[in-house]
Amino acid sequence: MTTAMPPSPEALKVPEVMTALRLSRSKVYDLIRSKQLQSFTAGRARRIPVDSVRQYMRDRIEESD
């Protein structure tokens, strides 16, 4: 019997973004407020698309070049 790996998430919770980017909770919410990270709500839950996190990292890399 083999167990399939679960699919990668398409959207992350704020604590997952905090871990991925090594940022504080307040900094992640600052990025959301300033539209540097796109997000959406599902009920009361805030979610950040994985593509938005990747785009944020690409933008920071381009700024540093």
Side-chain angles (χ1 to χ4, degrees):
M1 178 180 185
T2 60
T3 307
M5 292 288 291
S8 297
E10 292 295 317
L12 302 172
K13 299 175 186 176
V14 170
E16 293 170 326
V17 174
M18 291 168 51
T19 300
L21 297 177
R22 305 289 195 257
L23 297 173
S24 68
R25 178 182 174 91
S26 62
K27 181 61 179 176
V28 171
Y29 279 107
D30 285 345
L31 293 172
I32 291 168
R33 274 190 290 278
S34 66
K35 307 286 190 214
Q36 293 180 61
L37 267 181
Q38 295 178 348
S39 70
F40 62 92
T41 56
R44 292 183 54 183
R46 173 73 54 185
R47 296 293 183 261
I48 298 96
V50 171
D51 290 340
S52 179
V53 175
R54 290 184 180 130
Q55 184 62 49
Y56 173 77
M57 290 189 294
R58 281 192 294 272
D59 292 346
R60 298 298 75 77
I61 290 169
E62 288 176 9
E63 285 179 3
S64 68
D65 287 342

